[in-house]
Each structure stands twice: as C-alpha cells, then as structure tokens.
Amino acid sequence: LLHCYTCAIDYWQRLEPLLVRDGQRVVSIDLLGHGESEKPSDGYELENQADLVAGALGRLGVSGALVAGQSLGGQVATALVERHPDLARGVVVMDSPPAEGFGEVPLTARLAYVPLLGQAIERTVPDFVVRDSLERAFHEGFDVPDAFVDDVKAMTYTAFKSVHDQADDFVA
C-alpha cells in the first residue's frame, strides 16, 4: 500500500485489518520524505521512489504483489510496475490525475511551494489551516484525522516541495 502526498503509512491503518482478515499479507511503505522515512535534499523523482519501494519489497521477499497506491502512491505504483514488472501482478491506482496539470490548486496552496515564502509558511501554519487544506481529499463530513495533520507537519520543506515538483503537479 502506497500512500498519497503528505500522508504516511498511518493513512492505511483502517484498511489493513480488513485485508489481513481476508488472509492477505499487507505491506505499507512510507514514501521518501514522508512519515518515518528519510528526508534527504534530493531523490524524490518518481522513478527513484519506485526503486526504493522495489528495494523494500525485495528485502521483505515480496514478489507478485497487488500494489495499491492513492494519488502520489498511484504514480509511484505505476512507475514501480514499469521499472520492476516482476514485483507486481497488478496495480490499483486511486485518485491519481489522468494528466499533468489536471485539477486546479488554489492560490493559497500554491504559495506553500514558493521558496522562502513556503518555508516561512511551513514553520508558522496553524493546524486548522493544514486540516482545512486536507479536507479537499476527503468526502464531505469526514473528519481529517489528527495523524494526517501531523504527517504534513512532519515533512521537511525540501521533501514537501521536491515531491510535489517531481510528481507532475498532481492534486492531493
């Protein structure tokens, strides 16, 4: 299971027990720059993300997996299958855009990617602003879990901007 942009493996915690109960082995992975993963100054290209996922699956002895990815995770899943077809028997892509530039990001969200300004915003943005921006990714009436707000705030600015820049302007 590959999570969306600004999320982490906790994104899947409600789904994992349902899949395990069905007899499936479930592996969730923090993408580079997210959650508990490293947050280096570079390496956020989709191809590198896919190679890192392939390495993790290889270390776990996984092959022939059904890889599911949401938003950014869907793009990484697609790159994974293109680069390492032996690792996946199928791919489920959810909520990933069909083309670059699909959907519109509000001006206030685009400001977060402007150097210096974005870094200042990252350091001072209150939780309610993060929560409001995350609500766009959920069905109306669904409360954004605190863990998701924490996941966004745990990202470094470099990871936040670099992942966004490398992922074809997807909308999360």
Side-chain angles (χ1 to χ4, degrees), residues 146-169:
D146 292 339
F148 291 9
V149 173
D150 295 342
D151 289 340
V152 172
K153 295 190 87 167
M155 291 184 78
T156 64
Y157 177 74
T158 299
F160 179 78
K161 183 169 181 353
S162 297
V163 171
H164 177 270
D165 291 349
Q166 294 299 320
D168 294 334
D169 295 329

Side-chain angles (χ1 to χ4, degrees), residues 15-38:
L15 180 62
E16 287 174 356
L18 300 173
L19 296 174
V20 170
R21 187 176 64 214
D22 196 29
Q24 301 298 313
R25 178 180 181 195
V26 177
V27 176
S28 295
I29 297 174
D30 271 333
L31 297 174
L32 188 65
H34 296 77
E36 298 296 319
S37 73
E38 293 182 31

Side-chain angles (χ1 to χ4, degrees), residues 4 8 59 79 83 85 104-105 117 136-137 139 149 151-152 171:
C4 59
R59 283 189 298 283
R83 296 175 66 81
E104 187 164 329
V105 178
L117 179 59
R136 296 172 10 118
H139 189 275
V149 173
D151 289 340
V152 172
V171 177

Side-chain angles (χ1 to χ4, degrees), residues 13 26 50 79 81 115 120 131 138 143 154:
Q13 72 186 135
V26 177
V81 171
R131 186 177 309 283
F138 294 94
D143 293 329

Side-chain angles (χ1 to χ4, degrees), residues 62-65 80-81 83-89:
V62 174
S63 64
L80 175 72
V81 171
R83 296 175 66 81
H84 307 277
D86 56 314
L87 289 178
R89 65 180 160 87

